[in-house]
Amino acid sequence: MTNVYNDIIYPAYKEGKHLFAMLIDPDKCSEERLQSIKKAMGEYVPDLILIGGSLVMCSTSDAVLTCQKYFPKTPTLLFPGDETQLTPIADAVMVLSLISGRNPEYLIGQHVRASVKIKKMGIETIPTGYILIDGGRTTAVQYISNTMPIPRDKTEIAIATALASEQLGHKMIYLEAGSGATDHVPTEMIKAVRQSIDIPLIVGGGLRTAEDIKEVFKAGANIVVVGSAIERNPEIAKELCTQY
């Protein structure tokens, strides 16, 4: 059985390879939408599929099954906003700690409530330091979590936060501008954080074009995550997932 982190993510990081992750909102994961994305991608597939969101009303399990139907060779990772979004049929779960904020609910509260459930599921866990960066507008994650993002010009805070995350034992750092952000994480910040840590770096939020993805990879991201842009226009999926 494939271990997503040990067999895919970490080896890619060590070898300097880039990974493209598609973020799927369970509330928008219809058969029709996935068919459109699959058709647009043709022979190409995302390296990873993240499933979840800040606020989800539909079944996460149904979303995972639909993704596995259309992309059977792509690992599915839960990207849960809370414990209700957990399901054992995914390949792994990103255990997110929103370390850029100071809301205990997203630092340890949700984790305590989910821990026994995750243990019983027997699902692979990937502890991830989740760092919210100002993306130019109030995003769902900022509103739901009631946390302030790190200002775009405070690179030193992002570096210190990422280092603290690594020292706490997290296996990945996720720099997030938020779904539907006006601007993606600044390339200067990505570069500085990449140079400061020795674990995989994920960047998401506000990535809409092939040029955006090229810039973020060049700055030092190991994994890019795109969700809203593909939701709005599945036809660009192939263009975005082939920029590395």
Side-chain angles (χ1 to χ4, degrees):
M1 183 176 180
T2 299
N3 181 287
V4 179
Y5 185 81
N6 291 334
D7 297 338
I8 299 174
I9 295 175
Y10 193 73
Y13 158 67
K14 293 298 289 184
E15 295 168 16
K17 296 180 180 178
H18 295 145
L19 299 177
F20 180 90
M22 181 170 65
L23 175 61
I24 296 294
D25 182 341
D27 290 340
K28 301 173 183 177
C29 187
S30 65
E31 290 266 347
E32 182 180 4
R33 186 180 296 275
L34 266 293
Q35 285 177 350
S36 298
I37 295 172
K38 176 64 175 177
K39 181 179 179 181
M41 285 189 168
E43 72 274 23
Y44 296 96
V45 295
D47 298 297
L48 304 165
I49 295 179
L50 276 54
I51 301 171
S54 299
L55 184 64
V56 171
M57 302 298 182
C58 293
S59 167
T60 302
S61 294
D62 289 347
V64 173
L65 287 171
T66 304
C67 290
Q68 291 173 342
K69 175 180 176 180
Y70 289 98
F71 298 96
K73 296 183 179 181
T74 301
T76 50
L77 281 70
L78 297 179
F79 182 65
D82 58 56
E83 61 172 317
T84 66
Q85 298 177 35
L86 297 172
T87 174
I89 64 174
D91 295 297
V93 56
M94 298 172 68
V95 182
L96 303 167
S97 295
L98 211 174
I99 55 174
S100 57
R102 297 298 180 267
N103 186 340
E105 188 67 13
Y106 294 91
L107 289 169
I108 189 61
Q110 287 285 340
H111 308 71
V112 171
R113 284 194 287 277
S115 61
V116 174
K117 184 183 295 186
I118 291 174
K119 178 73 172 179
K120 290 180 178 179
M121 287 179 176
I123 191 172
E124 177 191 345
T125 57
I126 308 177
T128 303
Y130 192 60
I131 302 176
L132 187 60
I133 308 299
D134 180 18
R137 63 187 291 267
T138 301
T139 56
V141 62
Q142 180 182 344
Y143 184 84
I144 295 296
S145 66
N146 192 29
T147 59
M148 291 293 293
I150 294 175
R152 298 178 62 79
D153 61 344
K154 299 298 182 183
T155 298
E156 69 279 8
I157 297 178
I159 291 172
T161 305
L163 281 171
S165 179
E166 182 177 18
Q167 292 161 8
L168 283 166
H170 294 145
K171 293 183 176 181
M172 304 190 294
I173 302 295
Y174 194 138
L175 295 180
E176 170 74 285
S179 179
T182 302
D183 304 302
H184 62 70
V185 178
T187 53
E188 297 82 1
M189 183 179 287
I190 297 169
K191 183 177 180 180
V193 171
R194 174 66 278 158
Q195 293 174 343
S196 301
I197 60 173
D198 295 310
I199 53 178
L201 177 63
I202 308 170
V203 177
L207 299 172
R208 298 181 179 82
T209 67
E211 189 59 37
D212 289 340
I213 292 173
K214 289 178 181 178
E215 287 180 4
V216 168
F217 273 140
K218 185 177 180 180
N222 304 111
I223 303 171
V224 299
V225 179
V226 179
S228 298
I230 294 176
E231 284 178 4
R232 288 192 295 267
N233 181 15
E235 293 301 317
I236 67 170
K238 178 180 177 178
E239 178 184 1
L240 298 185
C241 82
T242 56
Q243 299 307 313
Y244 58 101

